[in-house]
Amino acid sequence: MTDRKKMLAEMTRRRMLLGSTGLAVAAGMLPAKLFAQDPIAVAGIYTVPVEQQWVSRIHVAAEAAAEQGLITYTFSENTANTDYPRVMREYAEQGVQLIIGEIFGVEQEAREVVLDYPDTAFLMGSSFLPDPDYPNLAVFDNYIQDASYLSGIIAGAMSESGKIGMVGGFPIPEVNRLMNAFMAGVQEVKPEAEFQVSFIGSWFDPPKAKETAFAMIESGVDLLYAERFGVSDAAQEKGILAIGNVIDTQADYPDTVVASALWDFGPTLAAAIAKVSDGSFEADNYGLYSFMKEGGCSLAPLGTFEGKIPQDALDMVAAKQAAIKDGSFEVTIDDSEPASS
C-alpha cells in the first residue's frame, strides 16, 4: 500500500471514529512591523461550542489578537463535519487570508478544499504531519504533554489509594499523548498506581462524562483526570480530587481541581500571523509551539491548593520543569491508546 493510500485509509478510520461530530497573543512574540500593517482577515471554524476546552484556547487567542488590532476575526461554531468543507469554501471565497480550526473528522475533504484556494492560508488542528502536496495547509495540535506530565506528579502525590480514573473524549493521538504523559508523571511518585481509562465517544457531552466518572468513583478511585467537561462535577459531588486539562477550572471547583495542564494557543497563532504577513506561510508543523519551552503550555497556579501539596512533589515538579525548559529532559510523546491497569 502506498503512503498516500495509507494516509487516506487512516483518515477514513479516524472519520468513522469521530463521527459527525489560546490564551492572549503576547505582543512581544510578533515582529514590530506587523503593528504598522493592515490587520489580517482570520476566520475560525469549530465543530463544538467555543466554550469547549480545546477550541476555547484557539478562540481566546484569536480574540486577543483582534483586540490588539493584528487581525480581524470571525468564526463559526457547532459546525457539523458534513458542513465543514462548505464553510471553509465560504470563508475562502470571502477573501479571508487565514482560516483556523480543526479537521480531525474531515481530513480528506478539507485537503480537497485547500487545493482549490492556494492563496488562502489554512492552519488546522490535524492528526497528520504537514504534506508538501498541500503547501498552504499547516497543521497543529495541543502537544501539552510537558504540562500533563507535571500534573501527573502532583496527582500521584495527592492520591492516597493510588487508584486514578481517567475520562477522555476519543482514543486518538491528541488525547492519548496527554493521558500517557499524565500516567507517566503519576508513576514517578507512585509506581504501583492503578488506572481506570474510559472514552465517552464525544468531544462535548458533560452528562456522559459525569456518569462515567461516577462509575469510576463507585469502583474506588480517589482522583480523576478530567480530560472532558463533566468529570470535575462528579469529583466535586463525591468529594474527591481532580486534575484539569487545557484550561484552569479551579475557580469553579476550588476544593476539587488540584492542578491543570494549560494550553496557550498564543504562540501558535503568533507564528502563523507573522508568516502570513510576510508571505512565507507554507506547509509546516505548528504543534511544536505548544511545547513548554516555546511557551505553549504550563501548569496552572496552585491557588486554593497552595500549601496542601507535599513539598517533595513540588520540588520534583520544579526540577523536571526546569529540565524540560532547558532541553535536558523530554517528556515522551506516546500516541498509543492508554489502557486500564
Side-chain angles (χ1 to χ4, degrees):
M1 183 180 290
T2 65
D3 290 342
R4 176 57 57 82
K5 287 182 178 179
K6 287 180 179 178
M7 187 178 81
L8 294 180
E10 179 64 8
M11 289 178 181
T12 300
R13 186 190 74 81
R14 292 182 188 278
R15 186 166 61 252
M16 292 175 65
L17 174 64
L18 293 171
S20 62
T21 43
L23 300 174
V25 178
M29 296 177 181
L30 296 165
K33 66 179 182 179
L34 286 184
F35 293 90
Q37 298 179 349
D38 292 334
I40 292 168
V42 176
I45 311 174
Y46 312 119
T47 62
V48 293
V50 291
E51 293 82 12
Q52 189 258 11
Q53 294 123 296
W54 194 89
V55 161
S56 72
R57 300 305 85 202
I58 304 172
H59 180 65
V60 168
E63 285 195 320
E67 289 175 3
Q68 293 176 33
L70 302 176
I71 67 173
T72 60
Y73 174 57
T74 187
F75 66 93
S76 298
E77 59 184 332
N78 293 313
T79 303
N81 280 339
T82 51
D83 289 334
Y84 207 97
R86 174 184 60 79
V87 178
M88 290 174 67
R89 291 183 183 279
E90 289 178 354
Y91 279 129
E93 291 287 348
Q94 292 170 19
V96 169
Q97 296 163 273
L98 172 63
I99 297 176
I100 57 179
E102 17 100 22
I103 57 172
F104 299 106
V106 288
E107 298 274 6
Q108 182 178 349
E109 295 89 338
R111 282 169 170 75
E112 293 171 0
V113 175
V114 164
L115 290 178
D116 290 339
Y117 298 94
D119 295 329
T120 305
F122 294 86
L123 176 62
M124 294 293 185
S126 171
S127 295
F128 296 94
L129 293 176
D131 185 339
D133 288 342
Y134 305 92
N136 56 323
L137 172 62
V139 296
F140 70 89
D141 205 351
N142 60 326
Y143 282 87
I144 64 170
Q145 65 283 340
D146 298 330
S148 296
Y149 169 82
L150 297 180
S151 73
I153 293 174
I154 293 174
M158 296 298 285
S159 171
E160 295 182 4
S161 68
K163 295 180 179 179
I164 294 174
M166 307 181 68
V167 181
F170 293 93
I172 60 174
E174 22 293 324
V175 175
N176 297 346
R177 73 174 66 103
L178 307 187
M179 285 188 160
N180 284 320
F182 171 82
M183 294 164 78
V186 170
Q187 290 169 334
E188 290 280 11
V189 180
K190 280 190 170 60
E192 74 286 358
E194 298 178 6
F195 301 95
Q196 289 189 38
V197 181
S198 184
F199 298 93
I200 63 172
S202 172
W203 290 133
F204 194 72
D205 190 344
K208 188 172 183 179
K210 184 177 180 180
E211 179 184 349
T212 303
F214 275 146
M216 290 181 173
I217 296 170
E218 288 296 321
S219 71
V221 306
D222 70 352
L223 187 144
L224 289 164
Y225 175 75
E227 198 271 330
R228 293 291 101 194
F229 277 158
V231 177
S232 294
D233 294 288
Q236 179 175 253
E237 289 185 25
K238 296 297 184 180
I240 71 169
L241 302 177
I243 298 292
N245 179 57
V246 175
I247 62 176
D248 186 1
T249 58
Q250 192 184 78
D252 297 319
Y253 310 95
D255 299 318
T256 303
V257 175
V258 183
S260 297
L262 306 183
W263 182 32
D264 184 350
F265 190 71
T268 304
L269 183 58
I273 291 173
K275 289 184 179 295
V276 171
S277 178
D278 67 17
S280 65
F281 189 90
E282 61 183 0
D284 203 354
N285 179 14
Y286 280 68
L288 300 178
Y289 293 103
S290 291
F291 282 35
M292 183 169 283
K293 62 183 179 181
E294 299 293 340
C297 69
S298 63
L299 273 180
L302 296 178
T304 55
F305 280 86
E306 191 77 47
K308 299 178 183 179
I309 299 170
Q311 188 59 46
D312 56 350
L314 294 179
D315 291 343
M316 181 183 293
V317 167
K320 292 291 187 179
Q321 179 170 277
I324 289 169
K325 288 183 176 181
D326 69 22
S328 61
F329 175 72
E330 293 185 4
V331 176
T332 299
I333 298 176
D334 182 356
D335 288 348
S336 63
E337 182 175 341
S340 299
S341 300

